[in-house]
Amino acid sequence: MKKVRILALTALAVSALSFIACGSTPEPEAAPVEPVVEEPVETPAVEEPSEDYSDANKALLAKVEESRKAAVAAGAEDADPNGLAAADAVLEAQKALADSGAGDMSAVLNDLNDRYLALEAYAKAKAKKDKIDSLDYSGYNKPSYDAGVKILEDLARPESNLVPGANRLKQAQSAEGAFDAVLNSAFKALAKEERTAAYEAKKLADGVKASVSRKTDYDAAVKNFKDGDSNYVTGNPEGALANYTKAKESFNGLYNDIADKRAKAQAAIEAAKARVQESENAAIEADAQAPLGDGEVEGIEDENARLLEEDDFTAAENSTVEVSSDIAEPVEEANE
């Protein structure tokens, strides 16, 4: 009985669930929402003001013009006429662009400036090489000379104009520096030799007391000698060589002039002594034939008479200027 009741309740529950499931009305699907298309609102574009490079371009062009003048003054027209003409063509084109209000031209103008600077250094390097060749100085520093010649040959090749101006400038400056080293070596060696010669000439001048009899000329020669020392230790051996040469020539001139005058004066003394001796001999002979007594005879000088004034060199020791026989090396080299 109880079992029948449970089955009945179960059946009733199932029937109720079925009714709920079948009898409940499903909710209608939501209608699709169409997207709202908004019409685009056109915003007027704001133009950014372009940067004005006119002043900067003008300043760079002025700098390039100055570099060109320096190149021409150094002899670029003769040293590298093709390179100068090529650079000038670029310069004219850049001027036209600048006049038309072009933008930033710094890259091209800086490169062009380097090319003109390279032309200047190249011309100077060639001039220094010519100087070395004319003086036959290459042997004083052959490695540097050969290095400079090699760089000039490289720069003379047409394809070298294709490299950036900064690279070409560096090469030209290296060539100039190599030839500077050759000239410096040559002038240093020659200056030392000339200084020794000037020092020996000074000793000769001091020997004839030039500091007393020709003080102004003597002091000028000493100044040249000391100026030579100053130029040498400050890294100007070419100037030192010129100073030592002047000093040497001045000291030698003083010595030769004073020595010549002394020789002539000594000859005059000897001639006077000879005349006195002749007079004495004549007097002795005449006295033997016709004695004159102990009185002086007109026309015949006393044998003890001083014929010429003797030189007084009491001030010579204090007037002589002492200089060192050695020269100090330039500071930068002494520290190497």
Side-chain angles (χ1 to χ4, degrees):
M1 185 71 176
K2 186 175 180 179
K3 185 177 180 180
V4 173
R5 188 177 176 184
I6 292 173
L7 289 173
L9 290 174
T10 302
L12 180 61
V14 171
S15 298
L17 290 173
S18 298
F19 174 78
I20 294 171
C22 295
S24 57
T25 305
E27 294 183 3
E29 296 182 3
V33 179
E34 294 184 6
V36 178
V37 179
E38 296 183 359
E39 293 294 329
V41 179
E42 293 186 3
T43 304
V46 178
E47 294 185 3
E48 294 291 333
S50 59
E51 189 171 351
D52 186 2
Y53 290 96
S54 58
D55 289 342
N57 292 338
K58 186 182 297 182
L60 276 175
L61 279 170
K63 179 180 177 181
V64 172
E65 291 276 15
E66 289 302 313
S67 296
R68 183 189 183 280
K69 290 179 182 177
V72 172
E77 288 177 307
D78 294 326
D80 188 3
N82 293 331
L84 182 63
D88 286 348
V90 175
L91 177 58
E92 292 304 315
Q94 295 306 302
K95 286 180 180 179
L97 283 174
D99 291 340
S100 65
D104 186 3
M105 299 169 60
S106 60
V108 176
L109 291 179
N110 282 325
D111 179 79
L112 183 58
N113 190 64
D114 285 340
R115 291 183 183 279
Y116 279 122
L117 293 176
L119 283 166
E120 178 188 4
Y122 180 77
K124 288 181 177 179
K126 287 192 73 174
K128 289 174 181 178
K129 177 185 178 299
D130 291 342
K131 181 176 182 177
I132 292 168
D133 292 343
S134 66
L135 297 172
D136 195 22
Y137 282 177
S138 62
Y140 285 97
N141 192 336
K142 198 66 165 59
S144 292
Y145 178 82
D146 291 342
V149 169
K150 176 65 168 56
I151 296 172
L152 288 185
E153 290 174 349
D154 291 342
L155 289 172
R157 295 189 178 96
E159 59 267 26
S160 72
N161 285 312
L162 300 177
V163 303
N167 292 1
R168 188 172 173 83
L169 172 59
K170 186 176 180 180
Q171 285 181 290
Q173 289 175 333
S174 295
E176 186 181 2
F179 293 128
D180 279 336
V182 177
L183 290 170
N184 189 65
S185 296
F187 287 127
K188 277 188 64 179
L190 293 170
K192 284 185 175 181
E193 293 176 5
E194 198 71 347
R195 186 185 191 278
T196 299
Y199 184 79
E200 294 301 320
K202 180 183 179 299
K203 287 167 63 177
L204 292 175
D206 289 341
V208 294
K209 314 301 181 183
S211 61
V212 176
S213 59
R214 299 279 296 278
K215 181 171 177 55
T216 300
D217 295 331
Y218 177 85
D219 288 345
V222 170
K223 183 179 184 306
N224 266 316
F225 191 94
K226 290 185 174 181
D227 286 346
D229 284 353
S230 177
N231 276 324
Y232 187 89
V233 299
T234 55
N236 180 16
E238 184 175 6
L241 175 60
N243 287 131
Y244 293 142
T245 298
K246 288 181 180 178
K248 178 191 72 175
E249 292 174 350
S250 296
F251 286 131
N252 280 332
L254 287 170
Y255 170 75
N256 291 329
D257 186 46
I258 295 172
D260 180 62
K261 289 180 178 178
R262 285 200 168 192
K264 291 179 179 178
Q266 188 61 40
I269 291 172
E270 296 301 326
K273 286 182 178 180
R275 288 196 299 272
V276 170
Q277 188 62 49
E278 290 176 1
S279 298
E280 287 183 355
N281 293 338
I284 292 173
E285 183 179 353
D287 192 50
Q289 296 177 2
L292 297 175
D294 296 330
E296 294 184 0
V297 179
E298 185 178 354
I300 299 179
E301 299 181 28
D302 186 338
E303 62 178 342
N304 296 316
R306 186 167 60 182
L307 303 177
L308 294 174
E309 290 293 328
E310 294 181 2
D311 289 331
D312 181 7
F313 296 131
T314 56
E317 293 182 3
N318 294 330
S319 62
T320 301
V321 179
E322 295 298 330
V323 296
S324 173
S325 59
D326 298 318
I327 178 67
E329 289 299 320
V331 175
E332 62 273 16
E333 295 188 10
N335 293 333
E336 288 180 359

